Amino acid sequence: MLVVIPARLDSSRFPRKMLALIAGEPLIRHTVRSVLAMNLDAEVVVAYDHSSIERAVGALAPCIRTSTAHRSGTERVIEVANLSVFHGHDMYVNVQGDLPFITKPFVEAAVERLLAGGDISTVFTNLTKDAEVNEHRVKLVALEEEETERLWVVKFARSGAELGDLPSPHCEVGEHVGVYAYRQLAVDM
């Protein structure tokens, strides 16, 4: 398993977010430390787009420079996964770089869901009132497949209005956590 922490310098909603200080250290360092503290049986790398992120991470984890053209963390993970040195892992886990307080149960849940079937998984929590009205929090709609009881994400949104009407009574609305797991097949490009 390879854990990739994608980190983009110029977020549209919060430019230079990865370098924002929390208790005197850049946010990205806290995220890397949280992932390393999980003691996962995995290699951990940071996929970045600007040398200031690499400097902020320092010697905590290997850093792989990725294209500045990527529009998402998933695209950074795919670029890293397709490098010959990382290609062939049985699983890739994407822990978004802006999750300084991420804990092991979220990563384990994404991995467990992947192992239960499918090529991609993600995790979400119950939608709190605060998250529902906060446009900085990502919401999702998951539709339950009745035969397998699997949940399929059918929509991501930042505002409650973007979620619209639920397509089925078998839907759940939750707050997306920012952790994904992929099989090799899903990252082959």
Side-chain angles (χ1 to χ4, degrees):
M1 178 168 67
L2 177 69
V3 177
V4 181
I5 303 172
R8 187 176 81 171
L9 184 64
D10 286 323
S11 165
S12 57
R13 287 176 302 283
F14 185 176
R16 303 180 65 84
K17 173 171 54 175
M18 293 298 143
L19 303 178
L21 298 180
I22 300 174
E25 286 197 328
L27 177 140
I28 187 64
R29 282 185 72 83
H30 289 278
T31 302
V32 172
R33 276 202 186 101
S34 291
V35 171
L36 293 173
M38 293 176 195
N39 292 314
L40 301 167
D41 185 19
E43 189 173 358
V44 177
V45 299
V46 176
Y48 70 97
D49 67 347
H50 193 275
S51 59
S52 59
I53 293 173
E54 181 182 31
R55 286 191 302 273
V57 172
L60 284 177
C63 293
I64 309 298
R65 187 170 196 125
T66 56
S67 172
T68 58
H70 292 318
R71 297 168 305 187
S72 70
T74 296
E75 290 179 358
R76 286 188 204 295
V77 172
I78 290 169
E79 181 179 340
V80 169
N82 282 291
L83 295 173
S84 61
V85 68
F86 298 118
H87 197 279
H89 282 272
D90 60 335
M91 186 180 311
Y92 300 87
V93 176
N94 170 344
V95 176
Q96 294 293 298
D98 62 352
L99 298 175
F101 308 112
I102 191 69
T103 58
K104 190 173 185 176
F106 291 113
V107 173
E108 290 174 330
V111 169
E112 287 170 12
R113 287 184 180 158
L114 190 69
L115 293 174
D119 296 319
I120 302 172
S121 71
T122 192
V123 292
F124 63 95
T125 61
N126 293 330
L127 186 65
T128 64
K129 283 290 181 193
D130 174 58
E132 187 176 345
V133 298
N134 185 335
E135 292 194 7
H136 297 289
R137 307 290 274 279
V138 177
K139 281 117 343 241
L140 60 77
V141 175
L143 177 62
E144 182 177 345
E145 185 179 82
E146 292 182 55
E147 301 83 45
T148 64
E149 297 183 0
R150 280 193 203 148
L151 294 172
W152 298 93
V153 176
V154 294
K155 186 183 283 189
F156 287 96
R158 290 214 172 262
S159 73
E162 289 177 43
L163 290 174
D165 294 329
L166 299 181
S168 160
H170 301 284
C171 283
E172 288 187 41
V173 178
E175 181 179 358
H176 190 247
V177 174
V179 175
Y180 305 83
Y182 315 89
R183 291 192 188 280
Q184 180 67 51
L185 176 68
V187 298
D188 280 340
M189 298 302 255

